[in-house]
Amino acid sequence: MPLPLLGRLPAPGDGLWARRLLALGAAAAVAVPVAAGLFRVPPRDDFDLSCFVWLLLGARWLTQRWWPRRDGRLVWRSRVAGRRSVEPGLVAQRSLAGWADLVTETIATAAIAVGLIGTLPEESWWGVPLRPLLAVGAAAWIGRTVHEEVRFTGRLALTASGIRHGRQTYAWTNIDRVNPKRQDGRVDGVRLRQIVRQSLEPEPVVGGRDTAVPEERLVAAIEHFRTRSEMLAVGLPVTAPEPAGG
């Protein structure tokens, strides 16, 4: 009898189980000591992190507005975490700005958790259960971030089955055309015009500031393989096309 509430379970032979287990192990290796440290946070009377937290939030704000030059290329890999299995494909790594965002966000999450936990009284009836909840919640969030980075190959991947950006996936057969996404006079990502999509959902965007490959190269590659994705399944190294004039 089918169990629709469980959703689609991963296939045993999809080749991703080693990666899943490695990602879970890495997440646990980070989350457990973070949680243990947060459990030991003393009351705020003993220390003051407000200045440090504000500095981190300011650094987070600045890194989000930092746009270093991106000149990366799609790199061939024989084993890529694709839409449903391990398969050959082209991979775009995370950009320098993307790594800066990830690091500052992780440190800011830990610092905010320390600040909040430190304000809770140790003897209060409401403070006692909230302290471990905040500690576990912050540690789980940081562990999830580590899991995402280890679980998937690169920030973006093009395989025969489709496009994967982070954990979001898109089938080639549902992509009508692509074009750079412009916002506030700046190009930030590649918009996928879908043939069929949910009416209330925005059109998906892949790439962008956190991806090392610039938009013009992504557009050229996606347009090239959109109608010939079988080229990515041959198992032999494939070179992504360069944009016209590039």
Side-chain angles (χ1 to χ4, degrees):
M1 180 177 177
L3 298 175
L5 293 179
L6 294 178
R8 185 179 64 83
L9 296 176
D14 64 3
L16 293 171
W17 283 103
R19 196 83 182 216
R20 291 188 184 102
L21 293 175
L22 178 62
L24 286 173
V30 172
V32 170
V34 168
L38 292 175
F39 277 129
R40 298 175 179 273
V41 172
R44 192 171 176 178
D45 292 342
D46 296 346
F47 70 106
D48 189 0
L49 278 178
S50 58
C51 181
F52 182 58
V53 169
W54 280 110
L55 284 174
L56 282 174
L57 292 176
R60 172 67 174 148
W61 183 84
L62 288 173
T63 55
Q64 288 181 325
R65 282 150 184 80
W66 177 43
W67 288 75
R69 178 181 175 84
R70 292 178 297 140
D71 55 3
R73 285 179 166 79
L74 288 160
V75 180
W76 173 260
R77 293 284 184 268
S78 59
R79 292 178 59 82
V80 175
R83 292 183 67 228
R84 297 188 181 93
S85 65
V86 170
E87 50 189 330
L90 293 165
V91 174
Q93 300 297 340
R94 185 183 289 273
S95 67
L96 186 60
W99 282 115
D101 287 347
L102 195 66
V103 171
T104 55
E105 181 178 343
T106 302
I107 296 175
T109 299
I112 291 171
V114 169
L116 290 175
I117 293 172
T119 63
L120 299 175
E122 290 185 304
E123 307 301 329
S124 168
W125 65 269
W126 56 271
V128 171
L130 272 182
R131 289 174 68 89
L133 282 177
L134 284 172
V136 171
W141 181 269
I142 293 172
R144 179 181 180 274
T145 300
V146 174
H147 178 274
E148 293 284 304
E149 288 305 309
V150 177
R151 168 70 176 79
F152 298 107
T153 314
R155 183 61 180 154
L156 182 145
L158 308 182
T159 67
S161 62
I163 300 173
R164 179 188 54 75
H165 184 220
R167 63 169 48 252
Q168 300 299 318
T169 60
Y170 310 98
W172 292 111
T173 54
N174 197 35
I175 300 175
D176 182 35
R177 63 185 187 276
V178 297
N179 59 276
K181 175 196 171 188
R182 297 183 180 276
Q183 184 174 358
D184 300 328
R186 189 190 294 272
V187 176
D188 185 17
V190 175
R191 194 186 305 276
L192 305 180
R193 303 287 184 181
Q194 294 183 305
I195 299 172
V196 179
R197 69 182 180 95
Q198 299 294 331
S199 58
L200 298 180
E201 292 183 359
E203 290 179 316
V205 176
V206 299
R209 177 179 164 278
D210 65 349
T211 305
V213 178
E215 284 75 12
E216 59 269 18
R217 283 180 178 158
L218 286 180
V219 168
I222 294 173
E223 283 287 10
H224 179 76
F225 293 111
R226 184 170 59 86
T227 56
R228 49 177 74 87
S229 59
E230 66 278 0
M231 295 175 60
L232 295 167
V234 297
L236 299 175
V238 174
T239 302
E242 288 292 321

